[in-house]
Amino acid sequence: MKNMGLSELVLVRPKLFPHPDALARASGADDVLARARVVPTLAAALAGCGFIAATTSRHRDQNFRIITAREAAPRLLHEAAHAPVALLFGAERTGLTNEELEAAHLLIRIPAHESYASLNLAMAVQIMAYELFLSAAGASAAAARAVPLASAADLALLYEHWAVVLEEVDFRDRTESGTHLMARIRRLLQRAEPDQNEVNILRGFLTAVQKRRRPAGTRNS
């Protein structure tokens, strides 16, 4: 939890808390245990939560939407922007009962090998914490994008400019048909998803190539 930036831990009826093993393994993360809440019921643990996701390693036959940890992470982050979100784990040996699952809005299936289907609790927490961390980092990177992606019109001008320069420098498709070069360049740029600044850089480069190839004394028109 501490590695992945999570700190709020709520425990329902633990047999012993804090457990000596937990204290021994919490090097540098003692504050997670110190701030943990211990409550007598699941209802108390979920009080105030706006969205609840429960984890399972088994196929369930209830009318739940079941998704993967990777699919769930952005949904949980989205819901957390509006109200507290609970990520619910069951006991390691038994998992969550059907009654406990009734509080959940969806199930997150973390598959385990059929020869040992009892999902290790520490591993399940680590998987979910990692996916949340990864999704949050991706969302932050997208939000930090200061320059919007290039518009379709700007890309069309870039492709047109590029085709002109290829013709001017006699850079041609050497394949048998000789007709696919610009299509390949378009696909390359579409995969790159250039922003407006990047398109401007490419247009500037193409213009510089054209200027270098103009005969001496030729003026811009």
Side-chain angles (χ1 to χ4, degrees):
M1 288 177 61
K2 192 68 177 285
N3 287 150
M4 299 297 113
L6 299 177
S7 59
E8 188 171 350
L9 175 64
V10 181
L11 300 165
V12 180
R13 298 188 309 276
K15 292 181 178 179
L16 177 62
F17 184 79
H19 195 284
D21 288 347
L23 292 173
R25 296 174 182 175
S27 177
D30 309 76
D31 56 316
V32 174
L33 294 176
R35 289 197 304 268
R37 288 196 298 123
V38 176
V39 295
T41 64
L42 181 59
L46 299 177
C49 292
F51 189 82
I52 301 162
T55 56
T56 181
S57 64
R58 295 173 290 172
H59 292 288
R60 302 275 184 166
D61 59 0
Q62 286 84 3
N63 294 321
F64 283 102
R65 183 187 177 199
I66 302 177
I67 61 178
T68 67
R70 186 150 298 179
E71 292 170 329
R75 173 70 187 279
L76 297 179
L77 292 172
H78 173 76
E79 296 293 343
H82 307 289
V85 166
L87 185 54
L88 182 59
F89 299 87
E92 185 163 310
R93 290 187 177 183
T94 61
L96 294 164
T97 66
N98 291 337
E99 290 74 21
E100 290 167 338
L101 289 172
E102 291 178 358
H105 294 90
L106 59 79
L107 294 187
I108 301 169
R109 184 167 184 264
I110 305 175
H113 195 275
E114 60 182 12
S115 65
Y116 195 78
S118 178
L119 187 66
N120 179 273
L121 183 56
M123 184 61 70
V125 172
Q126 185 176 4
I127 288 170
M128 289 308 310
Y130 172 75
E131 292 295 346
L132 287 167
F133 180 79
L134 203 65
S135 184
S140 296
R145 182 187 289 271
V147 181
L149 293 178
S151 67
D154 290 325
L155 287 174
L157 290 173
L158 172 62
Y159 300 146
E160 182 181 346
H161 193 173
W162 203 306
V164 169
V165 173
L166 291 177
E167 186 70 25
E168 290 179 0
V169 302
D170 195 30
F171 190 94
R172 302 182 184 279
D173 191 339
R174 305 303 180 187
T175 61
E176 185 176 346
S177 65
T179 59
H180 299 303
L181 182 58
M182 270 311 302
R184 291 170 177 164
I185 291 173
R186 289 172 67 102
R187 287 198 297 270
L188 184 153
L189 292 173
Q190 286 169 345
R191 288 197 300 270
E193 297 185 350
D195 62 31
Q196 187 62 60
N197 281 347
E198 291 162 343
V199 166
N200 291 342
I201 290 170
L202 291 172
R203 292 291 305 276
F205 169 75
L206 294 172
T207 299
V209 170
Q210 289 177 303
K211 287 181 178 179
R212 290 291 296 270
R213 289 186 55 80
R214 289 194 180 105
T218 301
R219 294 181 177 272
N220 295 332
S221 58

